[in-house]
Amino acid sequence: PSVKVHVKVTCLSSGSDSDGGEKVIDNTLNPDFVRKYILDYFFEEKQNLRFDVYDIDSKSPDLAKHDFLGQVFCTLGEIVGSPASRLEKPLGGIPGKKCGTIILSAEELGNCRDYATMQFCANKLDKKDFFGKSDPFMVFYRSNEDGTFTICHKTEVVKNTLNPVWQPFSIPVRALCNGDYDRTIKVEVYDWDRDGSHDFIGEFTTSFKELCRGENQLNVYEVSADKTANTVITFRAADLYVKTTSFSLFICFRTQIHFTVAIDFTASNGNPSQSTSLHYMNPYQMNAYAMALKAVGEIIQDYDSDKMFPALGFGAKLPPDWRVSHEFPLNGNVDNPYCNGMEGILEAYHQSLKTVQLYGPTNFAPVVNHVARYAAAVQDGSQYFVLLIITDGVISDMAQTKEAIVNAAKLPMSIIIVGVGQAEFDAMVELDGDDVRISSRGKVAERDIVQFVPFRDYMDRTGNHVLSMARLAKDVLAEIPDQLISYMKSRAIKPNPVPVYSPSDEPLSNPV
């Protein structure tokens, strides 16, 4: 199912002053565009986007009559998968010129059934009552698209104090900010009077994204009507809990997805030097292994911050002693099996075909256990692991693989199996567990974490490989969001607070 997201655009030092009509910000090199674009987001699809920036000099609708400032290409997954769903990229498109930077941020809308519980306290409020102190209460307002404000919550009155602590309260996020986490929230503080002529003490503004940062120095607000008092309002606590937790909330709030690929190097694939082999390297088109890898990898790589991926092989004899291995790094480096992006994995795959001897049998358990070891070390919801196995044949270690999968079902990981070639894949269907949950030694898997598809079912009849790959990726990745959420719910893990953004923030690194 799709999730609706806002996409917001900001540009830095684009090199010219803009001036003009609608969707234009006048005379600035650093425009922060107010308009947000609502897009349907699908994790399992590659959704390409292009942003063009112009300097508008007239009211002409013809863009050719205006100055082109630069452009950028990206995917919606890149934006959602960036830390705090904030992607910063250099503008290009003008040879030899630095065009500035564009910042793209995304935020989920969906049905926004989130609720927030929060509490505030104040210190040294202004004294408004002649015979006593003050009887303060707070009024919360949601900002509207037209710049007006609508009241959405009023706290209780705390009698006769300048240092009130208001009771915690719960409110739907939609009521607070209409599901837009960046939208301004205005808060006014009053001294209650019996006759209804409440005295204004002061006000401050914030946003739900700021409140989600919890209790810290950024959630302390100065409040006074005349800007002379030392009054502060402190955000004491906020607990964002979600009735219907969404995949994109976890990704936005820094759940990193780690992608590992395992490729079948058994002899049943055929001699790689012959055109009948499933591993044959045709100079004019990719083989089925490369297409499956590229189809899935190009989408899932958007959710891994450093784009470094472990790539493994199984079922081959390795030099120099030519022993069979069911868990070897494609790049030949046992200590560091990571490859740089999809191109790095494909290059390591091609190189392995030249150095190893295809053999057998077809054992899955070693590579499943390999990824499970990493997943077992990080079970707090900050990381989730996806293993892609591409294979041509009948599995040889069914009992061991079923046991490995049952054990892995308790961990933050999912397994995708893509079958290539014309073999019968009945055993893979059993591992999939859609109809009957997989079990081993009397233990039933805690979750369904395996998705199997035969690649031949997605081959386009006209030979359009791009279409074949898109269809494959859509089906094999469609279950990942629900599998991630099922793990989080089973461990009562909620999305982490929105991180405080700093330009010096470094992306999370892969586990070693």
Side-chain angles (χ1 to χ4, degrees):
S2 70
V3 173
K4 290 191 181 298
V5 295
H6 270 154
V7 174
K8 188 175 185 298
V9 183
T10 303
C11 293
L12 301 177
S13 300
S14 49
S16 180
D17 290 345
S18 62
D19 182 23
E22 188 180 12
K23 305 171 196 169
V24 173
I25 298 181
D26 294 341
N27 301 313
T28 178
L29 299 182
N30 302 300
D32 189 0
F33 296 98
V34 175
R35 175 170 177 177
K36 299 177 181 180
Y37 302 89
I38 298 178
L39 305 175
D40 286 322
Y41 161 65
F42 298 89
F43 167 75
E44 67 272 17
E45 294 183 12
K46 187 175 184 179
Q47 297 172 270
N48 293 310
L49 302 175
R50 188 184 90 188
F51 296 86
D52 292 353
V53 184
Y54 287 85
D55 175 20
I56 303 299
D57 295 315
S58 70
K59 294 183 178 181
S60 171
D62 184 2
L63 289 176
K65 298 185 182 298
H66 305 289
D67 296 328
F68 176 66
L69 300 181
Q71 68 180 186
V72 70
F73 297 86
C74 67
T75 68
L76 185 53
E78 275 186 90
I79 304 174
V80 174
S82 297
S85 293
R86 183 185 187 276
L87 176 65
E88 187 170 332
K89 296 190 79 169
L91 287 163
I94 304 178
K97 181 180 179 181
K98 291 185 177 180
C99 301
T101 301
I102 191 168
I103 300 170
L104 307 167
S105 57
E107 166 188 290
E108 180 185 341
L109 289 180
N111 294 324
C112 198
R113 289 172 283 186
D114 306 353
Y115 273 73
T117 299
M118 55 186 69
Q119 183 180 24
F120 291 83
C121 60
N123 184 38
K124 297 182 181 179
L125 284 179
D126 194 13
K127 182 178 180 295
K128 294 294 183 180
D129 292 342
F130 185 75
F131 292 108
K133 295 181 180 179
S134 288
D135 304 318
F137 67 94
M138 303 172 72
V139 182
F140 291 74
Y141 297 86
R142 177 184 69 247
S143 61
N144 303 314
E145 293 288 351
D146 59 1
T148 61
F149 288 88
T150 301
I151 186 170
C152 59
H153 181 75
K154 187 184 294 184
T155 69
E156 80 283 3
V157 176
V158 182
K159 291 294 190 71
N160 196 32
T161 180
L162 301 182
N163 303 298
V165 178
W166 287 279
Q167 291 294 318
F169 65 92
S170 294
I171 184 172
V173 175
R174 179 176 286 281
L176 196 61
C177 60
N178 201 33
D180 179 355
Y181 289 11
D182 286 314
R183 183 172 297 207
T184 299
I185 299 169
K186 183 172 74 171
V187 183
E188 295 177 343
V189 185
Y190 290 90
D191 169 38
W192 178 85
D193 286 327
R194 186 179 301 275
D195 62 4
S197 60
H198 310 308
D199 298 317
F200 180 67
I201 294 177
E203 68 177 39
F204 66 93
T205 60
T206 183
S207 69
F208 188 66
K209 180 172 283 188
E210 290 175 350
L211 295 178
C212 280
R213 291 169 178 157
E215 187 175 353
N216 61 39
Q217 70 275 12
L218 296 175
N219 275 322
V220 176
Y221 305 91
E222 293 186 2
V223 178
S224 66
D226 57 9
K227 300 187 182 299
T228 59
N230 294 320
T231 298
V232 294
I233 296 283
T234 301
F235 180 81
R236 172 156 291 189
D239 177 22
L240 171 64
Y241 68 94
V242 186
K243 283 190 171 180
T244 306
T245 304
S246 71
F247 171 76
S248 60
L249 267 178
F250 281 108
I251 298 303
C252 173
F253 294 171
R254 283 244 176 130
T255 294
Q256 278 281 297
I257 293 184
H258 296 287
F259 175 58
T260 300
V261 61
I263 295 178
D264 184 338
F265 281 82
T266 57
S268 55
N269 284 280
N271 188 333
S273 64
Q274 298 178 358
S275 60
T276 55
S277 172
L278 293 169
H279 282 305
Y280 178 64
M281 304 309 302
N282 187 324
Y284 303 107
Q285 68 179 43
M286 291 184 291
N287 63 33
Y289 278 92
M291 281 195 285
L293 172 60
K294 194 173 177 67
V296 177
E298 282 198 340
I299 291 176
I300 212 165
Q301 70 176 350
D302 288 340
Y303 303 91
D304 191 302
S305 58
D306 64 5
K307 308 293 186 286
M308 297 295 291
F309 308 107
L312 308 174
F314 59 91
K317 287 185 173 182
L318 308 185
D321 55 7
W322 302 105
R323 291 184 180 178
V324 177
S325 173
H326 296 289
E327 181 191 346
F328 64 89
L330 296 188
N331 65 3
N333 189 337
V334 176
D335 297 324
N336 184 14
Y338 293 93
C339 299
N340 189 2
M342 288 305 102
E343 295 307 315
I345 295 179
L346 287 169
E347 182 180 346
Y349 162 58
H350 295 160
Q351 193 61 38
S352 290
L353 288 173
K354 300 175 183 177
T355 57
V356 305
Q357 179 187 343
L358 273 59
Y359 203 73
T362 306
N363 291 354
F364 286 0
V367 292
V368 173
N369 290 329
H370 175 98
V371 176
R373 285 194 294 273
Y374 288 109
V378 191
Q379 300 186 51
D380 60 358
S382 63
Q383 300 180 42
Y384 194 84
F385 297 79
V386 177
L387 169 62
L388 169 64
I389 299 175
I390 312 176
T391 182
D392 83 309
V394 178
I395 186 170
S396 305
D397 64 339
M398 189 65 173
Q400 294 89 338
T401 297
K402 289 171 71 173
E403 183 177 10
I405 291 172
V406 168
N407 292 333
K410 298 179 290 188
L411 304 173
M413 69 178 283
S414 293
I415 301 169
I416 298 168
I417 304 174
V418 177
V420 298
Q422 301 303 314
E424 292 298 324
F425 294 111
D426 294 346
M428 306 303 175
V429 175
E430 182 182 350
L431 295 180
D432 193 306
D434 282 344
D435 298 323
V436 179
R437 187 70 59 83
I438 190 173
S439 62
S440 173
R441 300 187 181 184
K443 283 199 308 182
V444 178
E446 187 176 303
R447 300 182 298 126
D448 174 18
I449 64 169
V450 178
Q451 170 76 338
F452 166 75
V453 295
F455 193 19
R456 60 181 177 238
D457 291 354
Y458 298 86
M459 295 301 292
D460 183 67
R461 294 179 180 178
T462 64
N464 186 332
H465 295 309
V466 174
L467 187 57
S468 300
M469 291 161 62
R471 289 172 176 168
L472 173 71
K474 185 173 182 178
D475 268 18
V476 299
L477 292 173
E479 292 187 9
I480 297 295
D482 285 343
Q483 290 174 357
L484 182 148
I485 290 172
S486 73
Y487 173 78
M488 300 300 183
K489 285 185 175 180
S490 71
R491 299 296 183 270
I493 297 172
K494 302 170 186 175
N496 292 324
V498 177
V500 179
Y501 174 74
S502 167
S504 63
D505 281 353
E506 293 294 330
L508 295 176
S509 61
N510 270 322
V512 177

